[in-house]
Structures are given as structure tokens and as C-alpha cells.
Amino acid sequence: MTPKVVRTVAALRQETAKWRAEGLRYAVVPTMGALHEGHLTLVREGLKRAPKVITTIFVNPRQFAATEDLGRYPRDEAGDLAKLQGAGCDLVFAPPPEEVYPLGFATTVSVAGPAKAGLEDRFRPQFFDGVTTIVSKLFIQTGADFAMFGEKDYQQLMVVTRMARDLDLPIEVIGIPTVREADGLAMSSRNAYLSPEERKKATAIHRALSYAADHIRAGETPHAAASRAEHVLTGDGFKIDYIAARNALSLAEPATSAEPLRLLAAVWNGKTRLIDNIAV
Ligand code: PAF
């Protein structure tokens, strides 16, 4: 069955109240639409934890800078609904901007810690305040028991987890491993921007991260291994925003290779900015 679509918070709460009355738990999958297998995996993982799943579709203007791709961000609601039906999603919350940010809206939810790690925040200073403001609203609006996030946006996952904990939000944030194409490229809505040539070249990002991770496991310092990956990708013609090895939980610079580590990258492939990360 096609999932029911609601566009107001009041209609959303009417639906979730019915589930609660039946004693049902439910998960939320926050998205900006242009859904791919990565998002559908989050829906399926949600359904493993709860009998109902809500997917939210909202291209959140507050997490885009004026110079970024808000206008050209891919939108395909009909296609998204067909995919969500296939994945077993029950309800879609797709509000218009004025429902989310009515006239006079004046609140920003701002997190420090992992949101100020000098990674995405260094290159997209507006990004995490936009994300945490919308995600906190979505958590409160849906009242979900579980929130499903992909590890692909690893810093976002750490920031949202921190926020939910710090604000005592009664929701469990669950990170799900990145879904990759057969050649290793992390699935992303932004892959749609790549020319066939750029698409082929993009596989180098995951290869370079894996190569650096192997070097850390073989005893190289995290910093030297990250520089090695940077050297490879620069040679391939990518413009690098960052390639960094960080503590996997705090995202702080690691003091030793014995800590749990995560290698994270943001690079430009032509005019498209791609991010990826792997565990070491
Ligand atoms: O990861 C995304 O698609 C967005 O940042 C999110 C979590 C839906 C908030 O707009």
C-alpha cells in the first residue's frame, strides 16, 4: 500500500496517536527526499525495531548556505513514495516550509562537541545548527521511539546522538552502516549530479580511505595515513576539503592509534562535493 502522506503536524499527531492507542512503537527516518537504497535500508532497519515507520521528507533550507545547492537539490516526491511503498514505510510526513518555519520562527538548536570538530562545520558553518534545529523538531513532532540515521553522514550521526542525549529526548538514535554501490561508492542523493566520467572517478574516495585505514592498522600514525589518502586523491584530481582520522566517538584528534578511529573525507569531484568515512 502507498504510505499515507501528511503535511501538517496536527495530521501527523492524529496518525501517531492511533498507533500509540494500539500500544505500537515506531521509528522515524528523517530525509530530504531523492531517496535511494541507503534511505530504504534505514526504513527496513526501522521495521526490524518497531512495527511502524515514518519517513520525513523535507529539504531543509536552514542547513544550506546561500551559495549551496538548495535550489538544485533533487526532488521527486512521486518517485520517493513508490520506493517507500516497496520498503514497507507506513507514513510520510512531507510538510511545506511554512509548516516547519512559520512566520516569526526564532529558535535555533545548537550543539558544540562533535558539531565543532573542524570537519563539516569548518566548511559548512551553517550546517549543523540547521540540522539540529530541524531534527529536534522532527523528533518532537513525530514522538518516535527510534530514529534511523546512516553512518554515511557520520559527523551528523554523532551530533544528533549528542543532541538527543543532552536534551533527554525520549528517542533512541540508531546508526546504520553506509550502503555502497557495487564498486564501493557510498550511496548519496548528490551522486545524481555526477557525469559518467566523474561517477567512475568517484570510486577512488572509498579506495583511498581503505588504503589509509590499512596503513593505520599496519602501524602508521593516523595523521600520516590521512595525508597519504589526501596525496592519492589530490593526484587523481579531487579538490580536498578534509581527510582526517578522528576518535570515532568524540571526533576529536586522536592521541594514539589505539583509540577507536574513524577516517572521514569531504572532497570535490568537479562541482559536486562528496563525503564518505570508514571505521579503522
Ligand atoms: O541527512 C539528511 O538528509 C538531513 O541532514 C536530515 C537529517 C534529513 C535533516 O534535514
Side-chain angles (χ1 to χ4, degrees), residues 129-210:
D129 280 3
V131 167
T132 46
T133 300
I134 185 67
V135 170
S136 56
K137 280 176 68 82
L138 292 171
F139 285 4
I140 293 164
Q141 290 163 341
T142 62
D145 300 286
F146 305 100
M148 315 304 295
F149 284 84
E151 286 184 352
K152 152 92 179 3
D153 295 279
Y154 192 78
Q155 190 179 4
Q156 170 173 277
L157 170 62
M158 293 302 114
V159 170
V160 167
T161 303
R162 182 79 261 159
M163 177 192 78
R165 205 173 289 158
D166 289 355
L167 296 180
D168 302 309
L169 299 177
I171 191 164
E172 190 181 334
V173 177
I174 297 173
I176 300 295
T178 302
V179 180
R180 298 183 181 279
E181 304 285 358
D183 60 10
L185 176 66
M187 288 195 187
S188 163
S189 306
R190 289 191 168 93
N191 293 348
Y193 301 152
L194 301 173
S195 69
E197 201 179 305
E198 289 167 345
R199 169 66 188 79
K200 241 187 250 164
K201 188 173 129 182
T203 59
I205 303 166
H206 181 241
R207 264 201 311 280
L209 290 177
S210 304

Side-chain angles (χ1 to χ4, degrees), residues 29-33 39 56 58-60 63-64 73 127 130-132 134-135 138 149 153 156 160 189:
V29 179
T31 83
M32 297 204 299
H39 298 110
T56 68
F58 180 65
V59 183
N60 176 33
Q63 67 192 72
F64 290 79
Y73 197 84
F127 180 67
V131 167
T132 46
I134 185 67
V135 170
L138 292 171
F149 284 84
D153 295 279
Q156 170 173 277
V160 167
S189 306

